[in-house]
Amino acid sequence: MKKYECETCGYIYDPEAGDPDSGIAPGTAFEDLPDDWVCPLCGVGKDDFKPVDE
């Protein structure tokens, strides 16, 4: 699964880790995050994330 980077603060969403503090289980793809999920560091929405080229 692809990682996504917040264009505002540089936070990397890693699907293997999920976002436990927001109730997102490990193994949750970025595309499967709820529409109201926000960056845990700066609070912007999913629209401000871009795929990370690995």
Side-chain angles (χ1 to χ4, degrees):
M1 285 186 279
K2 219 169 193 12
K3 295 179 182 178
Y4 281 75
E5 180 179 6
C6 177
E7 295 182 296
T8 302
C9 74
Y11 169 81
I12 303 288
Y13 175 76
D14 181 353
E16 290 184 17
D19 181 12
D21 293 340
S22 298
I24 305 299
T28 303
F30 185 82
E31 295 80 6
D32 295 333
L33 291 171
D35 290 337
D36 61 353
W37 181 83
V38 295
C39 176
L41 297 184
C42 70
V44 299
K46 289 173 62 178
D47 291 345
D48 291 323
F49 279 73
K50 66 178 180 190
V52 174
D53 293 325
E54 296 185 61

